[in-house]
Amino acid sequence: MEKQAWEGLIQRLIREGILRSPRVIKALRRVPRNSFLPERVEAHAAMDSPLPIGFGQTISAPLS
Amino acid sequence: MVCIMDEALELEVGHRVLEIGAGSGWHASTIAEIVAPAGAKREEWGHVYTVERVPELAEFARRNVERAGYGNRVAVICGDGSLGHLEKAPYDRVLVTAAAPEIPKPLIEQLENGGILVIPVGGLHLYQTLVRVRKKDGKVFEENLGGVAFVPLIGKLGFKP
């Protein structure tokens, strides 16, 4: 995942008023989703949707 | 959902947090970054305990958490999260990342007085509501934070496997 794509998503969530507290914003910047994804879906890390991680479970979407 | 829940939990440095449903370990790591930031003194650090039902996922989460550098702030436990995690109770914050048919009692019991619990409540994939529970002087106050869609919470006090 490109760093800019993740930052772009964060900026959008700030603009939409979903991300408000500086500490949550900082945490999302420091812990991008891509390092927690199985390789096969890693390219979609900055997509705002849940992604499969196996065993019928998903990694949450940043927002929805 | 991670953003909405992290905001709804009103997290602070030093909080002891219980998460039900570790999944990939991402959500737990974002919380660890808030309650135990690298910039704070270690003795002020909080801790995240995250319970995962699927053994393979617990292992996956543990590996991810360690690789991301949060292994010393996040403990991944394999077990039935609908029963909470009594050993390390009480918790300042509890969050559930799967929908339960109703709020499992142990989760409220394991919540510290003044604590906050955020949990999706509702049917299988349908009509789930994100509920925020505040515990004050032994009383429980519920607040509806809106409609959501989560995977089901499987367990003794959740949905049957």
Side-chain angles (χ1 to χ4, degrees), chain A residues 6 13 18-21 23-24 27-28 30-33 35-36 38 53 55 57 59-64, chain B residues 1-4 6-7 11-12 23-26 29-30 33-34 53-54 56-57 60 64-65 67-68 70 151:
Chain A
W6 186 247
L13 296 177
I18 292 157
L19 274 174
R20 293 183 304 271
S21 5
R23 56 184 73 166
V24 176
L28 284 175
R30 294 188 72 132
V31 195
R33 190 163 75 142
S35 24
F36 294 83
I53 55 171
F55 309 94
Q57 305 296 307
I59 184 169
S60 299
L63 167 60
S64 48
Chain B
M1 213 62 244
V2 166
C3 298
I4 292 171
D6 283 4
E7 292 280 5
L11 297 162
E12 282 171 31
S24 68
W26 176 47
S29 299
T30 67
E33 181 55 45
I34 300 170
R53 173 181 62 92
V54 182
E56 291 88 343
L57 279 182
F60 176 61
N64 287 340
V65 163
R67 205 177 42 202
Y70 295 96
V151 294

Side-chain angles (χ1 to χ4, degrees), chain A residues 27-51:
Chain A
L28 284 175
R29 284 209 171 105
R30 294 188 72 132
V31 195
R33 190 163 75 142
N34 63 311
S35 24
F36 294 83
L37 292 172
E39 235 169 69
R40 64 183 184 282
V41 294
E42 210 186 307
H44 306 294
M47 243 174 70
D48 186 29
S49 83
L51 294 168

Side-chain angles (χ1 to χ4, degrees), chain B residues 15 17 19 24-25 28 40 49 56 71 90 93 95 106 117 122 139 153:
Chain B
H15 275 163
V17 183
E19 178 187 50
S24 68
Y49 301 89
E56 291 88 343
R93 300 290 185 263
L95 70 150
L117 158 71
K139 286 190 195 130
L153 176 72

Side-chain angles (χ1 to χ4, degrees), chain B residues 25-130:
Chain B
W26 176 47
H27 202 162
S29 299
T30 67
I31 292 170
E33 181 55 45
I34 300 170
V35 303
K41 289 189 197 136
R42 285 212 171 199
E43 53 269 31
E44 288 168 5
W45 273 9
H47 206 88
V48 183
Y49 301 89
T50 181
V51 181
E52 174 54 55
R53 173 181 62 92
V54 182
E56 291 88 343
L57 279 182
E59 197 43 50
F60 176 61
R62 205 170 282 134
R63 273 203 312 274
N64 287 340
V65 163
E66 264 166 34
R67 205 177 42 202
Y70 295 96
N72 53 352
R73 289 162 269 180
V74 176
V76 182
I77 299 121
C78 189
D80 181 351
S82 73
L83 305 175
H85 184 56
L86 190 58
E87 287 96 311
K88 301 289 181 184
Y91 304 97
D92 300 299
R93 300 290 185 263
V94 178
L95 70 150
V96 183
T97 63
E102 55 189 42
I103 303 174
K105 273 219 178 71
L107 299 186
I108 291 176
E109 289 162 3
Q110 292 170 26
L111 189 63
E112 180 77 82
N113 195 31
I116 296 177
L117 158 71
V118 175
I119 177 171
V121 180
L124 274 170
H125 307 293
L126 284 168
Y127 309 117
Q128 299 167 2
T129 304
L130 192 64

